[in-house]
Amino acid sequence: MSTLLSSTQHGSVILTLNRPERANAFNFEMTQALQQALVDAENNPQVGCVIITGSGKTFSAGQDLTEMKQGEEISYNEHLNKTYNPLILQIRNMGKPVIAAINGACAGAAFGIALACDLRIAKSTSYFVVGFSGIALAPDSGVSLFLSKYIGLGRAQEYFYTNKPIPAQLAFDWGIVNRVGGFNYQRLVTQMAEELARGPREAFALGKKAFNKAYLPNLEEILMYEGILQEEASKVEEHRRRVDAFFSRRGKS
Ligand code: T3D
């Protein structure tokens, strides 16, 4: 079964993260598939809008921790520079609107990906978790920048330190999320995507560049810096201990 499903609907491409048995956590294969799908969407003139969502009950749990458990020798900085950093830049640099359709829990690097999208539409039962501190890591995937921009430095740090969930309604009140839907969630996503897919395409692409320059001029630099800090965090014993604890709590030591 493919780790990323792709379908088209009224000028939009829907990219569905598809590892529901692992809470749609990103392994290397899924990250590469998403990178390629975004290139294809950018190059396809039939596509005016991209939707990223998750299959089953989760949006995504972020990085697949089993890859971290196996890869004792992995350099987190190198890994970030091959995976989430280019992905985040791709989302921001593509000349088409990208909607994150948040169908369930969204944690860690997946939170960064969702925050990098142009809009977020959330199911009322969904929630966000910064996630990193739970396994003794620093924020990456642009979370340090995006989250503090959306909710302010004090709140962003609080939710990083405490790892408390941010429920969809609170995320809406704080401006992280553009729309929250209950029974009408799917319709909100479809209507918004259809509207954005109609364009005006060239103006949308230029407008996105303007917002990037105005609001995120140092995004690339921050992503690189987060990678350097994450490398340091990954070498601290507490990180390995917490990853092991995550799996032993679930009976998978
Ligand atoms: O170098 C680098 O790239 C470093 C970068 C790191 C970036 C990161 O993303 S670090 C943060 C990693 N993510 C987490 O720490 C979050 C861990 N997961 C959770 O906290 C929870 O699962 C959720 C808040 C996401 C809740 O999701 P939910 O309730 O929809 O699912 P669940 O029931 O918790 O999990 C379902 C299964 O997925 C479960 O397996 P089981 O017990 O049914 O066999 C669980 O173990 C598994 N799972 C959940 N998260 C992960 C995972 N497996 C691998 N990796 C995960 N991250």
Side-chain angles (χ1 to χ4, degrees), residues 196-217:
L196 299 187
R198 284 196 289 271
R201 296 231 179 131
E202 192 57 31
F204 282 2
L206 294 171
K208 190 162 170 176
K209 278 189 182 177
F211 283 116
N212 282 341
K213 181 94 173 160
Y215 207 65
L216 303 164

Side-chain angles (χ1 to χ4, degrees), residues 66-96:
T66 53
E67 275 190 347
M68 289 166 151
K69 203 163 154 21
Q70 287 154 3
E72 298 288 335
E73 300 305 319
I74 195 171
S75 155
Y76 284 28
N77 191 19
E78 270 176 42
H79 185 254
L80 285 167
N81 285 325
K82 281 191 197 141
T83 56
Y84 305 114
N85 292 353
L87 198 48
I88 302 288
L89 291 171
Q90 237 183 321
I91 292 170
R92 288 310 319 157
N93 293 334
M94 81 182 292
K96 297 177 183 181

Side-chain angles (χ1 to χ4, degrees), residues 34 43-44 94 102 127 150 181 197 242 251:
L34 184 55
N43 293 335
N44 185 346
M94 81 182 292
I102 310 295
Y127 59 96
Y150 279 116
R242 287 191 179 220

Side-chain angles (χ1 to χ4, degrees), residues 46-69:
Q46 306 299 321
V47 171
C49 179
V50 177
I51 299 168
I52 301 177
T53 192
S55 68
K57 70 177 178 88
T58 319
F59 177 78
S60 167
Q63 171 61 35
D64 186 333
L65 297 177
T66 53
E67 275 190 347
M68 289 166 151
K69 203 163 154 21

Side-chain angles (χ1 to χ4, degrees), residues 19-26 57-68 74-80 83-84 104-111 127 129-135 137-138 140-141 163 230 234 239 246-247 250-252:
R19 301 184 71 220
E21 72 292 350
R22 281 276 162 84
N24 297 323
F26 279 83
K57 70 177 178 88
T58 319
F59 177 78
S60 167
Q63 171 61 35
D64 186 333
L65 297 177
T66 53
E67 275 190 347
M68 289 166 151
I74 195 171
S75 155
Y76 284 28
N77 191 19
E78 270 176 42
H79 185 254
L80 285 167
T83 56
Y84 305 114
C106 173
F111 195 9
Y127 59 96
V129 187
V130 177
F132 302 97
S133 70
I135 49 168
L137 288 182
D140 63 33
S141 306
N163 220 12
Q230 204 66 296
S234 73
H239 167 56
F246 177 84
F247 287 107
R250 287 170 150 84
K252 294 181 198 164

Side-chain angles (χ1 to χ4, degrees), residues 125-153:
T125 49
S126 70
Y127 59 96
F128 300 91
V129 187
V130 177
F132 302 97
S133 70
I135 49 168
L137 288 182
D140 63 33
S141 306
V143 168
S144 64
L145 178 65
F146 292 120
L147 192 61
S148 54
K149 290 257 185 200
Y150 279 116
I151 68 176
L153 182 60

